[in-house]
Amino acid sequence: MAKTRRVLSLSTLFPNTAQPRFGIFVAKSLEALQRDTHWDTAVINPIGLPPLALGRYRALSEAARDTQEFGMTVHRPVFRLLPKVGGRLNPGLITRAVLPLARELHAQQPFDLVDAQFFYPDGPAAMAVARDLGLPFSVKARGADIHYWGARAYGRDALLKTADAAAGVLAVCETLADDMAELGMARDKITVHYTGLDRDLFRPMDHVGLKKRLGESFGIPLAASDTVLVTVGALIERKGQAFVIKALADLPNARLLLVGAGADETSLRGLARQVGVADRVHFLGSLEPALLPPILSAADAMVLPSASEGLANAWIEALACGTPIVITDAGGAREVVTSPAAGVIVARTCRAVREGIDEVTRNPRPPQAVAATVERFSWSANAAALAAHYDAVA
């Protein structure tokens, strides 16, 4: 499609060689925008590195290079990061690292709009860049950026200033938009922009023999009679894998597949041993998107008892594969579980999670009926809505 307008998208959430799944939903959204609409996109993905790039930061330092991917040029300047203590400094440090590059790119081929794909620290940095370039800017809220930073005085102040100055504000669901209004943002300025979905990839797969093939692929002794539960998400306390592991103690025929990586892996393995289910909890690590559909299709339920969310892509991907979900009343949960076919919403307790799993697995839903609950989600629809929003604010 002919490109008639141009956006500079700033996003600390974006895949790189060290973290290939990090912010993949941002990349997919901007890829569809570039492919399907009249907006030409340049991405700046700032990489935060501490003074000494040791341990996991070593690989991240090697990933801080410009690339052509997802149909776009992705620039990765480095900004100085002070882990755990530099939260209030990050917007200014990102601005300092990004601004010379933004000026250069704007001089080469002018932009019509600056965009931030995450509210903090990306939003305040995008605001500063847009002001310097004399352009309007848009900012998107995804969940943790509002709930985590909004609970801190300096973070709340930065969020409100950013929202007030922005030409447009996006939120991933109605519930998050309401939370933003409670924080002090103008509700009528917030547009809901739902996530997308790769409909060619995420779809129900034939269940005949699928559990057996899945078990063979991952070296897991899966029997056709086993109840297979899957949890997709970073291994962090907020995602609630501990509740599912504890619930497994009362589900003797169930196995849990944990897809994701994170700081809590060691403690979760210890918990599985403690409650006597270590032989039925399987850590699969971070997986390529193409490996998720057979896992989700083979599962009897996708269980994700999060403490907070915006609108989790894992919910939509599981449902698209015909797998019902057991989730907590977090973020846009009620905008996704709109019928019994989609699954159940439960309290964030071990008992409630166990009862939710029992309810879903005892009453199987036809996969096609489950998948029909998310027919409205696609990356093409996401891109069209994003282009319309940009047109309205630029």
Side-chain angles (χ1 to χ4, degrees):
M1 181 177 291
K3 303 300 178 183
T4 58
R5 312 204 76 183
R6 186 163 159 80
V7 59
L8 175 62
S9 189
L10 177 66
S11 184
T12 52
L13 286 175
F14 205 87
N16 57 60
T17 55
Q19 301 166 309
R21 291 285 297 160
F22 185 62
I24 188 68
F25 43 86
V26 174
K28 288 295 185 180
S29 178
L30 294 179
E31 178 184 43
L33 181 79
Q34 177 72 19
R35 182 188 64 232
D36 299 337
T37 80
H38 58 283
W39 281 89
D40 185 39
T41 309
V43 178
I44 296 182
N45 168 218
I47 301 289
L49 295 174
L52 290 176
L54 303 175
R56 66 186 179 91
Y57 290 108
R58 185 182 298 278
L60 201 54
S61 68
E62 295 171 357
R65 50 188 172 83
D66 299 349
T67 59
Q68 288 284 335
E69 53 187 315
F70 300 102
M72 303 166 289
T73 301
V74 182
H75 304 269
R76 293 190 174 89
V78 170
F79 71 94
R80 186 58 61 220
L81 181 71
L82 300 176
K84 298 183 180 179
V85 298
R88 70 171 68 233
L89 303 175
N90 285 341
L93 294 171
I94 291 172
T95 302
R96 184 182 303 174
V98 163
L99 192 52
L101 173 61
R103 288 170 177 162
E104 179 184 345
L105 295 175
H106 186 54
Q108 292 172 356
Q109 189 176 356
F111 296 104
D112 298 286
L113 180 72
V114 176
D115 159 72
Q117 284 286 323
F118 200 60
F119 227 103
Y120 191 94
D122 308 28
M127 176 175 64
V129 170
R131 184 180 297 126
D132 183 88
L133 301 182
L135 297 174
F137 78 98
S138 174
V139 59
K140 184 166 185 176
R142 296 184 176 275
D145 47 354
I146 298 299
H147 300 136
Y148 181 85
W149 296 109
R152 289 149 177 78
Y154 71 86
R156 179 178 181 275
D157 183 58
L159 295 178
L160 294 179
K161 286 180 179 177
T162 302
D164 184 61
V169 179
L170 296 173
V172 295
C173 61
E174 295 283 354
T175 303
L176 181 59
D178 291 340
D179 290 347
M180 294 158 71
E182 286 187 17
L183 200 64
M185 298 181 194
R187 181 62 178 83
D188 59 1
K189 192 176 182 177
I190 304 171
T191 300
V192 173
H193 182 227
Y194 286 118
T195 189
L197 175 72
D198 186 338
R199 304 207 65 85
D200 292 329
L201 183 61
F202 292 96
R203 53 187 173 78
M205 299 179 67
D206 184 4
H207 278 61
V208 177
L210 191 55
K211 286 183 182 178
K212 180 182 178 182
R213 296 197 301 273
L214 181 65
E216 291 171 349
S217 297
F218 288 95
I220 300 170
L222 282 181
S225 59
D226 285 344
T227 296
V228 177
L229 309 174
V230 60
T231 297
V232 180
L235 302 184
I236 55 177
E237 192 281 331
R238 179 170 65 85
K239 294 293 185 178
Q241 291 94 345
F243 291 94
V244 194
I245 290 173
K246 290 177 182 177
L248 209 64
D250 294 321
L251 300 167
N253 296 320
R255 290 185 179 273
L256 173 61
L257 311 183
L258 292 177
V259 177
D264 283 5
E265 179 172 343
T266 299
S267 64
L268 290 172
R269 286 182 181 276
L271 176 63
R273 290 192 296 270
Q274 179 184 332
V275 298
V277 297
D279 60 327
R280 295 190 285 122
V281 178
H282 308 280
F283 292 79
L284 305 188
S286 293
L287 299 176
E288 290 296 317
L291 295 177
L292 291 178
I295 294 172
L296 292 169
S297 294
D300 296 283
M302 200 287 286
V303 191
L304 192 64
S306 305
S308 67
E309 288 286 356
L311 192 145
N313 286 67
W315 301 344
I316 308 304
E317 291 168 353
L319 292 170
C321 289
T323 303
I325 58 179
V326 178
I327 62 175
T328 43
D329 195 4
R334 293 180 183 273
E335 295 165 56
V336 174
V337 182
T338 55
S339 75
V344 295
I345 296 174
V346 300
R348 199 172 192 247
T349 66
C350 292
R351 178 178 178 178
V353 169
R354 184 185 70 248
E355 291 175 348
I357 292 170
D358 190 62
E359 179 179 340
V360 166
T361 56
R362 285 180 181 273
N363 300 284
R365 284 86 164 149
Q368 295 299 338
V370 177
T373 66
V374 289
E375 333 184 275
R376 68 188 189 276
F377 293 92
S378 72
W379 286 122
S380 293
N382 175 276
L386 186 57
H389 169 76
Y390 286 169
D391 287 340
V393 301

